[in-house]
Every structure is written in C-alpha cells, then in structure tokens.
Amino acid sequence: MTLYLLAGLVGLTLFLVFRKDGLAGMRYGVETSALLLRSVARMLVLGMVLAGMTQVILPQEVITRWIGDESGFTGILIGAAVGMFIPGGPYVVIPLAASIFLAGAGVGPVAALITAWNTIPFTRTVMWELPFLGGAFTTSRMLVNLPFPIVAGILTPPVYRLLV
Amino acid sequence: MGETQKKKSWWRDTTLITMVSLLAVVSVAAFVLHGVDGLREGGENSLFIIRQAAPALFLGFILAGLLTVLFPPRVVGRWMGDEAGVKGVLIGAAAGVLSPGGPYVMYPIAAALMHGGAGIASISAFSVARNIFTANRFLVYELPFLGVPLALAKTLSTLWLIGVGTLLVPVVFRLMPRGAQEAARSRIGGAEQERTE
C-alpha cells in the first residue's frame, strides 16, 4: 500500500518535472535525491540498527502499563514528555517510535511523542530556533504549540480506528 | 547542506558520536540482559527494519529530490518575502510543508526571510507548518516506518493545528515584553522600512 502510493507519487512528480524542465530537470532532481540520501545514509542505518537493538531491551510490560492503549491521558502525557526531550533527527526518532509502537505502546502516546518531538523539541529549540529567530518569536511559538502533542494524542486514536 | 558535514572529521561529528554511543549502550544492555541471543535478536530486528523500509525510503528520497525541482527553495523564499497578507501566509505554510532538509536548512531560511522583510504571520505559518507536517518527513520516514494507518491518522488529526498556530503565534507575540518584541520587529520590518524610505 505504502509502496504503491509512493510509486504513484514518484511517477506523477517525474511527469511534472519532465514537463517543467525536461530530462535535465529529472537528472537534477535525482542528483539532489542522491545528495540528500548520502548526507543521511550513515545516520539512517545507525538509527535502524538502534531501533532494532532497542526492541530487545524494551521491557514490554512496562511499556504496555505506562503508555499502552489502556494508559489513557497519563500515557499521552508521558509520550509527550519523552518526545519533547528525545534528541536527534527523524532517522532516529521515527524508527524508535515504531519500535515502541510494536512493543505495545498505544496509538495516542506514540502520536503525542512524535508530535512533541516535531513541535516542542527542547534541544532543537535551544540550539537552533532561539539563536536564529530570537526570544520573542521562539517563546510565542513554543507557548502556542505546547498543547499540540496532547491534542494529537487525543485525536489520533479514533482516526486510526477508522483507518485500520 | 552536506558540505560542512562532509568536511568534518568523523570524530568531530557530535551527532554521529552520540548515535554510536547510544548504540553501544543499548547493545551492552541487550548483551547483559539476554546474552548473545539478545545481540542476535537485535541484529535480526535491525535487518528486518532495514529490509522493510528500504524500498519506500528509496522512493521517498527520489520524491524529495524531484520536489526541489518543482519548488526551488530560493524561489519560494522570494515569493514569501515579497508577498504580504493572506497570500504570504499561504505561501509561508506551503514553503514549510515542502521544504526538505534538517534544522540546519530550515532555521537559516526562516532567519533569512525574517531579515528579508517577511511578516510575522508568514514566518509563523512557515515555522508552524514545517513543524507539524513536512512532505519530506511524511513520505521518507513516517509512511515507511509507522505504516499507512498510523502515519495518516496522526497527520489528519494534526493538520488543522497549522491554522491554529499561524493565527495564534502572532497574537501571543504581541503580548511579549515590549523590548523583545521591538528587537524582533526591527529585524522583521527592517528590510521593509529600508525599501519604503
């Protein structure tokens, strides 16, 4: 399913790029892809190995008890807190979130974790946003985004149930 | 974006060192808890994840590269910098969704837009959209690793928050201490004033 969707999108985009810039555009696009891939390939493989290894040591009962499907609002809060303080790029966090999900975490806490890492990440905010965009903007954005992981944790499970 | 990374020696790459150290800690823990079997199981899990994600990852990266041809980041920045009002906000949000690359790409772009005279609302739209939903992150990481139902459910449940954030960040910004606000405003409006004066 994922593959068909992606392949369809790649086909459509290839067509649009060809119509816009011809073969040269297609070559430029694929070269950019290769550069993107090369810049993260090492971390990507490390991230996947880390996720695979973490699965072995993740205590399944603890995960199910604290952030399982039955964990309710507490589980969402724990997921959001973990997501806020988890460092690293998508090549680490998304495979780890998938491992936690496979180990028995609920849809709500996993959605809260990923959303917190996306919207209120501690390290990225301090390291990047504050120096580049300044205190007034960073504080305003953080304050507004603070409830977003909770919203994601509450709304995602019902939508998920509609989709599976 | 990879140029500074390429020039860096591996032992100076803190992200890499962190990852390798984490991997070492987790592997030792797996060995202590489950012995050699734990390591073997971890290796098998990793291979399974890699095999399962590789085809989608490959397609995702191709797509990310092609998108930069359809929407060159520099051109998008210019549209957003020159436009004001609702159009600027919409372009800001679209730029946030479509811009590839990590924080080392996003924040310099946002800062450049700020200095280039883009409004606080456009910057908010760019920044909030970039955080909530990025086409690149969704296609390359979320779909392959989380699967269609979870990736899609999370996205559908949070997409509307881009609108909420874009509306509210400027409102909260106006409540910030006068000094901090003015410091940011002089950056944001600086280029605009220079142009009109």
Side-chain angles (χ1 to χ4, degrees), chain A residues 21-110:
Chain A
D21 292 330
L23 279 176
M26 287 167 78
R27 212 184 53 199
Y28 179 81
V30 174
E31 274 168 14
T32 312
S33 310
L35 281 177
L36 281 174
L37 181 61
R38 208 173 55 188
S39 66
V40 294
R42 198 164 52 176
M43 300 302 286
L44 196 55
V45 173
L46 275 174
M48 291 193 267
V49 175
L50 183 65
M53 276 293 172
T54 312
Q55 268 176 40
V56 181
I57 58 160
L58 281 178
Q60 214 134 334
E61 317 81 63
V62 179
I63 287 190
T64 318
R65 179 160 18 109
W66 288 102
I67 54 171
D69 265 324
E70 309 293 305
S71 61
F73 194 66
T74 319
I76 292 174
L77 283 180
I78 295 174
V82 172
M84 190 174 173
F85 290 104
I86 206 166
Y91 37 78
V92 187
V93 176
I94 302 293
L96 270 182
S99 302
I100 296 171
F101 185 54
L102 285 178
V107 171
V110 172

Side-chain angles (χ1 to χ4, degrees), chain A residues 1-3 5-7 9-10 13-14 16-17 20-21 25-26 28-30 32-33 35-40 42-57 88 90-92 94-95 97-99 101 107 110-111 114-115 117-119 124-125 128-129 131-137 139-141 143-145 148 151-152 155-157 159-160 163-164, chain B residues 1-2 5-6 10 13 15-16 19-20 22-23 26-27 29-30 33-34 38-39 41-43 45-46 49-50 53 55-57 59-70 72 103-104 107-108 110-111 114 120 123-124 127-128 131-132 137 139 141-146 148-150 152-154 156-158 160-161 164-165 168-169 172-173 176 180-181 184 187:
Chain A
M1 170 71 183
T2 308
L3 280 181
L5 183 73
L6 273 170
L9 280 171
V10 168
T13 318
L14 269 175
L16 291 174
V17 167
K20 188 181 173 231
D21 292 330
M26 287 167 78
Y28 179 81
V30 174
T32 312
S33 310
L35 281 177
L36 281 174
L37 181 61
R38 208 173 55 188
S39 66
V40 294
R42 198 164 52 176
M43 300 302 286
L44 196 55
V45 173
L46 275 174
M48 291 193 267
V49 175
L50 183 65
M53 276 293 172
T54 312
Q55 268 176 40
V56 181
I57 58 160
Y91 37 78
V92 187
I94 302 293
S99 302
F101 185 54
V107 171
V110 172
I114 297 172
T115 307
W117 166 73
N118 281 338
T119 57
R124 194 172 357 125
T125 305
W128 292 92
E129 192 174 13
F132 273 106
L133 301 182
F137 181 82
T139 316
S140 318
R141 199 201 54 76
L143 282 175
V144 171
N145 283 14
F148 287 2
V151 174
L155 291 186
T156 306
V159 180
Y160 176 79
L163 291 174
V164 282
Chain B
M1 68 187 205
Q5 287 181 335
K6 246 179 279 160
W10 65 267
D13 188 340
T15 324
L16 184 69
M19 281 292 280
V20 172
L22 267 176
L23 187 59
V26 172
S27 304
L33 287 171
H34 305 288
L39 288 180
E41 201 192 316
N45 288 344
S46 311
I49 295 173
I50 291 172
L57 273 174
L59 289 174
F61 274 101
I62 298 275
L63 197 59
L66 290 173
L67 280 176
T68 60
V69 180
L70 288 183
Y104 38 84
Y107 290 107
M114 232 180 187
I120 187 87
I123 300 282
S124 305
S127 180
V128 175
N131 288 337
I132 298 262
R137 192 174 54 219
L139 295 168
Y141 297 102
E142 296 187 1
L143 273 184
F145 286 107
L146 303 175
V148 176
L150 181 56
L152 207 58
K154 185 195 74 76
L156 290 175
S157 318
T158 51
W160 61 282
L161 293 172
V164 176
L168 289 183
V169 172
V172 178
F173 180 80
M176 288 290 124
Q181 231 188 89
R187 277 172 144 187

Side-chain angles (χ1 to χ4, degrees), chain B:
Chain B
M1 68 187 205
E3 279 183 19
T4 44
Q5 287 181 335
K6 246 179 279 160
K7 280 179 201 150
K8 241 191 318 192
S9 328
W10 65 267
W11 46 269
R12 280 206 196 143
D13 188 340
T14 43
T15 324
L16 184 69
I17 300 284
T18 314
M19 281 292 280
V20 172
S21 323
L22 267 176
L23 187 59
V25 170
V26 172
S27 304
V28 169
F31 181 72
V32 170
L33 287 171
H34 305 288
V36 182
D37 280 348
L39 288 180
R40 192 185 310 132
E41 201 192 316
E44 281 167 6
N45 288 344
S46 311
L47 278 179
F48 178 76
I49 295 173
I50 291 172
R51 249 203 319 260
Q52 212 185 21
L57 273 174
F58 177 74
L59 289 174
F61 274 101
I62 298 275
L63 197 59
L66 290 173
L67 280 176
T68 60
V69 180
L70 288 183
F71 306 99
R74 235 173 300 157
V75 175
V76 173
R78 216 163 44 217
W79 290 341
M80 191 181 141
D82 288 339
E83 298 290 345
V86 178
K87 209 168 170 189
V89 167
L90 290 178
I91 292 171
V97 166
L98 292 172
S99 72
Y104 38 84
V105 177
M106 179 217 170
Y107 290 107
I109 291 179
L113 293 171
M114 232 180 187
H115 289 289
I120 187 87
S122 304
I123 300 282
S124 305
F126 173 78
S127 180
V128 175
R130 181 69 171 67
N131 288 337
I132 298 262
F133 178 73
T134 315
N136 185 39
R137 192 174 54 219
F138 180 72
L139 295 168
V140 175
Y141 297 102
E142 296 187 1
L143 273 184
F145 286 107
L146 303 175
V148 176
L150 181 56
L152 207 58
K154 185 195 74 76
T155 302
L156 290 175
S157 318
T158 51
L159 216 49
W160 61 282
L161 293 172
I162 296 178
V164 176
T166 305
L167 285 175
L168 289 183
V169 172
V171 174
V172 178
F173 180 80
R174 263 173 236 127
L175 300 174
M176 288 290 124
R178 190 67 60 85
Q181 231 188 89
E182 269 158 19
R185 266 190 206 286
S186 66
R187 277 172 144 187
I188 294 170
E192 200 64 47
Q193 271 166 14
E194 273 166 37
R195 225 176 291 144
T196 48
E197 269 164 15

